[in-house]
Each structure stands twice: as C-alpha cells, then as structure tokens.
Amino acid sequence: MSIDIPLDHFIPDRTSAPAQAAARGAALIAEASANGADHIELAHLAVRWAHRTFGSLVLMSSMGDEVLVHLATDAAPGIEVAFIDTGYHFPETLGTAEAYAATRPLRLLTVTPVQTVAAQDAEHGPQLHGRDPDLCCKMRKVEPLERTLAGRDAWITGMRRVDAPTRSDIEIVGVDTKRDMVKINPLALWTEEQTQDYARNNAVLLNPLRDAGYASIGCAPCTRATAPGEDPRAGRWAGTGKTECGLHV
C-alpha cells in the first residue's frame, strides 16, 4: 500500500527539535488525509515516514497490539519491535510474540526488568502487583521502556483514541513531551470496528486470549476478561481505580 507523496520532502534534518520533526510528519498526514487517504493508508504512511526519518531509532513498544505489528511490518519490513517481558505475561502472550518473530519481517527486541520476579518478591514481598500496582508497573514496565528508549528519537505505539478517556486527544504524529521525542500513533483515529475489520480482512494473528474475552491484555495477575458491551479497559487493574500502567503518561 503506497501513497504518491514525495516523502523526501518531509524528512527533517536529524538535528531538528522533536516538535519540528513531528510537525513535518503531521503535515504529511494532513496532506494525505486531504487527498482522500483512508485510515489504513494513513497508518501505513505514518509508519513509513517514521521508519524512513528515524531509521533504527524507531521503536514500537507493544506486542499486545497485534494489528499494529502486522500493519507496521507490511509498511516497513525489518522494523524493530520491542517486547517488554514483564515476567507476568500470559503464556498466550509469550507465544504470540514468538509467533510474530517467526512469521513476520521484524527484528524482535525482548526487554526484561532489572529484577526477576523472584528478586522483586524478595525485596518488596510477594504479589506487589496486588498491594502497590503503580510501583510494580514502574519496575516491570516503565523502567524497561525508559531504558530501551534512551538515545532514540521516536517511538511507535498502538494507542487509539477509543481505548480510554486519557487517550481521547492523541494525534497520529505528535510529541512525547515527557521524553522529548517524537511519538507516532498510527492507529490513533481507528474505531474498534475498523480495527476488527483489519484483523479479519488481513488474517492477523491474534493473541488467543482475544477469543476468551480479553479486550485489553496486560500482565496476567492484573488482567481479566470483559463482558460484552463492557469498556475494553475495564479488565485492566479491575477494582483499583488504576487505568494506565505509566508507559504513556
């Protein structure tokens, strides 16, 4: 899938500030949208722009977003995909990551926390996720991501506006002000129906837990299946008031 737009015109100098680089990418997306590009074409374009602009310094942080991984490896074969192995993943999630590494044109970078689960239990007590989920997420998700993003200029995420109220204003190309880097959300404007249609029409390999009612998949101790019609994020940290792991805030 390709859009006839001169990408070289939009590639910023690598010395550009993140806001300037993001503005170039956003302009590219806006022009393509004005010319009638659909949501799939815009997502492909965003990935190609990011990969061509930042090269190996583009990193996609979530293997849980199967549609994004499938789309991105079509748009930019050989793209680096980071998988944060928290030590608490469902076996199905680990199997999905292995399957993508074996079947899709990507370079899988598996990232682990500084401490094993056993070492964390020894220092903080067992089942920290039940007593202080924010601290557990900080050590097992946020720190590994920060370590992986260090020295990079951009990252690609699977965030969508429909996922949560905290994500309702995200753009396809923007700036991560916390990390002072460009953040690309190719699926930002996609609806749940469009996401499911893409998965079905492209035979996307999905985490088997999807069929078991897991609309949003995180660590096993903090994720449950959701009922039909229930908010997709309701199964994450249910009953705690927590809505984000900290990767995107």
Side-chain angles (χ1 to χ4, degrees):
M1 184 173 299
S2 180
I3 297 175
D4 187 20
I5 293 178
L7 287 180
D8 287 345
H9 177 69
F10 294 93
I11 297 178
D13 186 285
R14 288 297 303 279
T15 61
S16 297
Q20 295 173 317
R24 299 280 186 97
L28 173 61
I29 296 298
E31 181 173 342
S33 180
N35 288 333
D38 65 19
H39 63 289
I40 298 176
E41 291 169 327
L42 293 178
H44 270 253
L45 185 60
V47 172
R48 292 204 318 274
W49 171 80
H51 193 248
R52 188 165 179 176
T53 299
F54 302 105
S56 62
L57 297 185
V58 173
L59 179 138
M60 191 155 44
S61 63
S62 178
M63 181 55 75
D65 302 301
E66 305 99 319
V67 164
L68 175 61
V69 177
H70 184 282
L71 183 147
T73 51
D74 271 352
I79 193 169
E80 185 175 28
V81 177
F83 174 56
I84 301 176
D85 186 353
T86 65
Y88 282 121
H89 280 309
F90 291 97
E92 292 87 346
T93 300
L94 298 174
T96 300
E98 293 174 358
Y100 268 93
T103 62
R104 299 297 295 177
L106 59 82
R107 292 178 294 125
L108 184 65
L109 172 63
T110 299
V111 186
T112 57
V114 173
Q115 289 186 319
T116 64
V117 171
Q120 178 176 297
D121 288 350
E123 179 175 348
H124 298 277
Q127 299 186 347
L128 179 64
H129 49 77
R131 294 178 288 104
D132 192 342
D134 286 338
L135 179 58
C136 190
C137 283
K138 180 179 180 180
M139 293 192 296
R140 311 213 69 77
K141 289 185 176 182
V142 178
E143 188 281 328
L145 176 69
E146 300 294 354
R147 181 168 15 102
T148 306
L149 290 178
R152 300 177 186 265
D153 297 317
W155 65 313
I156 301 175
T157 87
M159 294 175 70
R160 303 177 304 168
R161 290 183 178 182
V162 299
D163 287 336
T166 53
R167 304 179 179 186
S168 62
D169 60 349
I170 62 173
E171 301 293 343
I172 295 178
V173 180
V175 177
D176 184 332
T177 55
K178 176 182 176 181
R179 300 175 177 89
D180 194 32
M181 63 195 307
V182 179
K183 191 172 186 178
I184 302 96
N185 310 299
L187 311 185
L189 309 185
W190 286 36
T191 65
E192 183 62 31
E193 182 180 11
Q194 289 171 333
T195 306
Q196 292 179 1
D197 284 347
Y198 182 93
R200 180 173 55 254
N201 295 337
N202 293 276
V204 173
L205 173 65
L206 298 177
N207 189 320
L209 292 173
R210 303 287 184 193
D211 289 335
Y214 288 80
S216 179
I217 303 171
C219 293
C222 301
T223 306
R224 66 165 174 80
T226 52
E230 192 175 16
D231 186 291
R233 297 281 290 183
R236 303 290 294 278
W237 308 287
T240 67
K242 182 177 173 63
T243 59
E244 294 279 1
C245 62
L247 296 181
H248 301 291
V249 294

